[in-house]
Amino acid sequence: MKNTLDPLEPKADKATVRRHNLSLVLRAVHDEGEATRAAVAARVGLTRAAVSSLVEQLLAGGFLTESGKTFSGHAGRPGTALRVARTGPAGLGVEVNVDYVSVCVVDLAGTDRVRLTEHLDNREVPPGEVLARAARIAARTLESAAEQELYPAGVRLALPGLVSGGTVRQAPNLDWSRVAAEDLFGRALGALRPGLGALPVGSENEANAAALAELWFGDGAAAERTRVRSFLYLSGEIGVGGALVVDGELLRGAHGFAGEIGHVVVDAEGPECRCGSRGCLEQYAGQAALLRGAGIDEDAGGPGVAELERRAGAGDARAVTALERAGRMLGLVVSGAVNLLDPEAVVLGGVFRPLMPWLGPAADGELSRRVVSGLWPAGGGRLRASSSSGDAARGAAALVVRDVVADPVGYAERVG
């Protein structure tokens, strides 16, 4: 039997400790937005001398910048303000959805600096061609980023459906099954950028990425919204995606597939769903169902949603009725999730966001009737529209940035 007194890991050497401390300092500045050396030292528990040495290395590596003087109101000399750099390391996020591809580059602060979105019908198109389309848009985005001296450390794909180990196991609305998305996208992007080196490619479910963007970039950086760290996020697109954030972390489930709320059955005898079941929520509240119910071509995509919003705003009875019905179905399903999981808030994103004035009251009414705690009164503000500051592409790009912040030495080694 192994001696329980044996060390579980090799003893950390000086280089390992310094690598860890560099990340501590960079993360402290990243999270604060702006900080002096003294403030960083107080936060991370290192001496000011140690922090100054680490800051100098991060400045030299292009991770931090400093400027001006910051007056704390206390005795002593004012300190220079440290911020994460606006050039250099960055993240690339690529959202592939049924009727569009959106690509963005964010800097170390998470600011959306470059974005390209193309509305494309990706249904009945081979997965390899869809991902090649996305790679072409990403390549153009990278060219624009380079003009701003931004160089992404990697790519994160935000994909619909069940995503695991770089593969889309199932995406019913794209008719994808066991698609090696990371590999296909990486090879397509590499072919477009010969001689520039391959970028590491990762992947995430699109609703998860959007929920993380809501957590990190929600309206009001230090306001009440961002103090909500446990919430259920619903992403309304062709399908209905879901994600659950608990105490600032995604709840992924045993196999990484938590959040598939769009395939909760509302009516076992209802319309057939592309997943193979019947009466799923997205058959009543997905984009196609909303447009169809309002008498708009269900394949009209973004322009169709804009037309639905216009008609509802003008009081068109059919549009309002379709949205209220969808809101009731959302409230019915979400109330069960609230009773089970007790989140602080429910956030509606994607196409639900602009349609919230008509979806929201109906959903809120169901929540107030069905949540047993009695803590969800109609109009109580716990059901809310998503922020305008984040989406799946930005959340995906920010995941790359967070990897850089967690290991700036690793990034420096990769770029040579």
Side-chain angles (χ1 to χ4, degrees):
M1 185 174 72
K2 183 177 180 179
N3 185 344
T4 57
L5 298 179
D6 288 344
L8 296 177
E9 297 178 358
K11 183 178 178 180
D13 57 20
K14 289 183 179 180
T16 303
V17 170
R18 187 170 184 84
R19 186 172 189 150
H20 172 73
N21 288 341
L22 282 165
S23 175
L24 277 181
V25 170
L26 181 56
R27 190 161 63 244
V29 178
H30 175 272
D31 292 349
E32 291 295 326
E34 176 181 299
T36 63
R37 286 171 169 81
V40 171
R43 175 168 178 176
V44 303
L46 297 172
T47 66
R48 292 192 186 188
V51 166
S52 287
S53 174
L54 295 164
V55 164
E56 292 303 322
Q57 186 172 342
L58 291 167
L59 288 168
F63 298 98
L64 294 179
T65 61
E66 63 179 341
S67 62
K69 297 290 184 180
T70 297
F71 295 87
S72 65
H74 301 291
R77 292 182 301 174
T80 56
L82 297 167
R83 300 181 182 87
V84 292
R86 286 182 54 80
T87 58
L92 177 66
V94 179
E95 181 186 3
V96 178
N97 222 303
V98 176
D99 55 358
Y100 67 88
V101 172
S102 188
V103 181
C104 77
V105 171
V106 303
D107 59 23
L108 279 182
T111 306
D112 193 334
R113 299 282 298 277
V114 184
R115 180 176 291 263
L116 289 177
T117 299
E118 290 193 12
H119 294 279
L120 305 160
D121 189 348
N122 292 318
R123 288 165 288 201
E124 299 182 7
V125 178
E129 176 54 30
V130 173
L131 291 161
R133 287 175 174 176
R136 290 192 289 271
I137 300 169
R140 297 202 304 273
T141 308
L142 288 168
E143 291 175 0
S144 298
E147 293 172 359
Q148 297 186 43
E149 299 182 64
L150 290 166
Y151 304 102
V155 188
R156 197 71 111 245
L157 304 176
L159 303 164
L162 305 181
V163 181
S164 176
T167 297
V168 178
R169 293 172 62 103
Q170 184 182 14
N173 290 308
L174 282 172
D175 198 24
W176 287 11
S177 178
R178 300 190 179 279
V179 174
E182 289 181 13
D183 181 59
L184 289 169
F185 177 88
R187 285 194 278 116
L189 184 61
L192 294 167
R193 305 172 72 244
L196 294 180
L199 287 176
V201 181
S203 56
E204 181 60 88
N205 169 268
E206 58 87 18
N208 284 348
L212 290 173
E214 182 69 20
L215 175 69
W216 295 331
F217 309 117
D219 290 336
E224 182 179 355
R225 173 186 287 275
T226 54
R227 291 200 293 270
V228 175
R229 293 174 56 79
S230 296
F231 60 90
L232 177 64
Y233 183 93
L234 274 71
S235 173
E237 302 291 349
I238 296 295
V240 178
L244 182 65
V245 175
V246 179
D247 195 24
E249 300 289 338
L250 279 172
L251 179 67
R252 295 185 176 277
H255 305 97
F257 303 144
E260 288 296 318
I261 198 167
H263 296 289
V264 171
V265 174
V266 176
D267 178 1
E269 303 302 321
E272 186 175 357
C273 181
R274 292 182 68 90
C275 75
S277 187
R278 301 189 74 90
C280 294
L281 174 62
E282 70 178 44
Q283 296 304 307
Y284 301 92
Q287 178 178 301
L290 291 171
L291 297 179
R292 185 170 58 248
I296 300 170
D297 179 6
E298 66 182 64
D299 295 327
V305 174
E307 174 62 13
L308 174 58
E309 183 182 3
R310 187 195 67 77
R311 291 187 189 184
D316 180 86
R318 188 171 180 184
V320 171
T321 298
L323 289 168
E324 289 178 343
R325 180 180 186 232
R328 288 193 297 273
M329 292 301 188
L330 283 169
L332 177 66
V333 170
V334 168
S335 64
V338 169
N339 284 331
L340 181 65
L341 302 166
D342 190 29
E344 296 175 75
V346 173
V347 180
L348 301 185
V351 301
F352 294 151
R353 182 175 180 275
L355 302 173
M356 189 71 174
W358 304 278
L359 289 169
D364 224 7
E366 291 295 326
L367 283 162
S368 66
R369 283 191 291 274
R370 298 176 183 277
V371 173
V372 296
S373 68
L375 299 177
W376 285 73
R382 296 180 73 178
L383 177 71
R384 59 184 64 175
S386 65
S387 165
S388 61
S389 303
D391 60 11
R394 188 178 182 191
L399 282 167
V400 176
V401 163
R402 292 201 166 229
D403 287 345
V404 174
V405 172
D407 186 17
V409 173
Y411 168 80
E413 289 173 347
R414 286 197 302 275
V415 301

